């Protein structure tokens, strides 16, 4: 609601356009999906598409409706096939084969504050990029600090100043997942720990890293689900916005 009022106030939206928007149903019924068109008004974040498992036709129509509503659209866990389907109608669509993010993004977007996204190893970068690009899409400035795991902790200490200056730190690690605990003891900002499924047999698909992170003796650590880079990027953006507001 506040965003709509600001647009009317600064002249980028007419009173008639605002009335039309507010009269619209809070969700758009598509039969197979109910798109939450007022999510950005309520939470500050527009709805995002989880692409995995969606039928081609459903994905195309959902993508179209969200793009028309907001002038940009963001999807996670997309495949090369889904990218090719969407590119036929939207040549400007961007796809990152590492993070599996697909998007059409406004190019004049301001990025505020700063978060640090850190990985233990290069095998964790796919999940880290999902977090970083999610945060960037939602208007957050991101500092990437990759391959600074505990097996060579001097690499982490050599980048500590950049990490400590961030409003929030995202720690992405597989194996035993110790990176989050180390960072939790070195910074005075919240740490969002992301366990990944990277590791050998007893990693149990990320369970070992998850258990390490939720049992950390370091304070100020919150843990998201295994490989959930999107959730970490979203939460980091919320924290970053609070930090910017407090410092403003």
């Amino acid at each position: 609601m506040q965003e709509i009022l600001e647009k009317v106030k600064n002249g980028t939206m007419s009173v008639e356009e605002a009335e039309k928007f507010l009269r619209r149903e809070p969700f758009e019924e598509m039969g197979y999906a109910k798109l939450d068109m007022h999510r950005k008004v309520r939470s500050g974040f527009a709805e995002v598409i989880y692409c995995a498992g969606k039928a081609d036709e459903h994905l195309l129509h959902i993508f179209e409706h969200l793009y028309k509503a907001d002038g940009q659209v963001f999807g996670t866990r997309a495949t090369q096939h889904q990218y090719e389907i969407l590119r036929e109608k939207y040549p400007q669509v961007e796809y990152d084969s590492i993070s599996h993010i697909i998007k059409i993004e406004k190019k004049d977007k301001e990025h505020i504050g700063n978060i640090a996204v850190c990985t233990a190893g290069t095998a964790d970068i796919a999940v880290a990029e999902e977090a970083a690009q999610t945060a960037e899409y939602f208007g957050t400035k991101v500092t990437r600090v990759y391959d600074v795991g505990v097996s060579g902790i001097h690499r982490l200490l050599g980048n500590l100043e950049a990490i400590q200056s961030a409003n929030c730190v995202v720690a992405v690690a597989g194996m035993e997942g110790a990176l989050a605990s180390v960072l939790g003891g070195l910074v005075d900002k919240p740490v969002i720990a992301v366990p990944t499924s990277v590791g050998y047999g007893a990693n149990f698909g990320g369970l070992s890293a998850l258990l390490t992170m939720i049992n950390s003796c370091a304070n100020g650590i919150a843990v998201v689900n295994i490989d959930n880079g999107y959730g970490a990027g979203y939460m980091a953006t919320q924290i970053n916005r609070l930090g910017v507001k407090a410092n403003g």
Side-chain angles (χ1 to χ4, degrees):
M1 177 67 74
Q2 185 62 37
E3 182 181 1
I4 301 301
L5 293 175
E6 287 295 326
K7 285 184 176 181
V8 173
K9 186 176 180 181
N10 63 32
T12 58
M13 178 181 281
S14 69
V15 174
E16 291 76 17
E17 288 172 329
E19 287 177 346
K20 184 178 179 181
F21 178 86
L22 294 172
R23 285 187 185 129
R24 202 166 60 191
E25 288 289 335
F27 66 89
E28 189 167 334
E29 178 63 67
M30 299 181 69
Y32 52 82
K34 295 173 178 60
L35 300 186
D36 189 352
M37 308 308 290
H38 283 193
R39 185 173 301 182
K40 189 173 182 180
V41 176
R42 299 191 316 272
S43 68
F45 298 84
E47 184 169 5
V48 165
I49 306 169
Y50 181 79
C51 299
K54 282 187 170 54
D56 292 346
E57 183 180 0
H58 293 171
L59 175 61
L60 186 60
H61 290 159
I62 291 169
F63 196 92
E64 178 182 13
H65 280 255
L66 293 179
Y67 177 53
K68 284 182 178 179
D70 197 37
Q72 59 179 3
V73 60
F74 189 85
T76 65
R77 305 300 168 97
T79 65
Q80 180 71 30
H81 169 73
Q82 290 173 325
Y83 166 57
E84 291 168 0
I85 292 292
L86 290 168
R87 187 176 57 177
E88 290 180 6
K89 185 165 186 177
Y90 301 101
Q92 73 273 39
V93 71
E94 300 175 54
Y95 178 63
D96 177 30
S97 60
I98 295 176
S99 65
H100 300 288
I101 282 172
I102 194 163
K103 63 184 177 180
I104 299 176
E105 186 172 13
K106 295 175 182 177
K107 300 303 180 184
D108 58 349
K109 186 179 298 180
E110 180 185 8
H111 293 89
I112 62 173
N114 184 35
I115 69 167
V117 177
C118 308
T119 73
T122 55
D124 301 308
I125 288 177
V127 176
E129 276 300 309
E130 185 177 82
Q133 292 184 42
T134 295
E136 287 173 333
Y137 180 80
F138 288 127
T140 294
K141 181 181 177 182
V142 177
T143 298
R144 291 164 170 80
V145 185
Y146 291 168
D147 197 26
V148 289
V150 297
S151 62
I153 201 166
H154 57 291
R155 300 172 300 177
L156 175 64
L157 300 177
N159 289 274
L160 199 53
E161 184 176 350
I163 297 169
Q164 288 178 328
S165 66
N167 289 326
C168 178
V169 180
V170 177
V172 185
M175 302 289 186
E176 83 297 331
L179 179 63
S181 292
V182 174
L183 284 167
L186 293 172
V187 301
D188 62 353
K189 310 291 173 39
V191 174
I192 301 171
V194 188
T196 74
S197 51
V198 172
Y200 299 104
N203 170 265
F204 297 115
L207 184 59
S208 63
L210 173 65
L211 292 175
T212 296
M213 290 170 173
I214 62 177
N215 284 287
S216 175
C217 66
N219 298 311
I221 298 175
V223 187
V224 298
N225 206 347
I226 297 167
D227 292 334
N228 187 13
Y230 169 76
Y234 187 107
M235 186 184 298
T237 295
Q238 291 181 306
I239 294 169
N240 182 62
R241 288 179 180 179
L242 291 173
V244 170
K245 186 181 295 185
N247 294 329

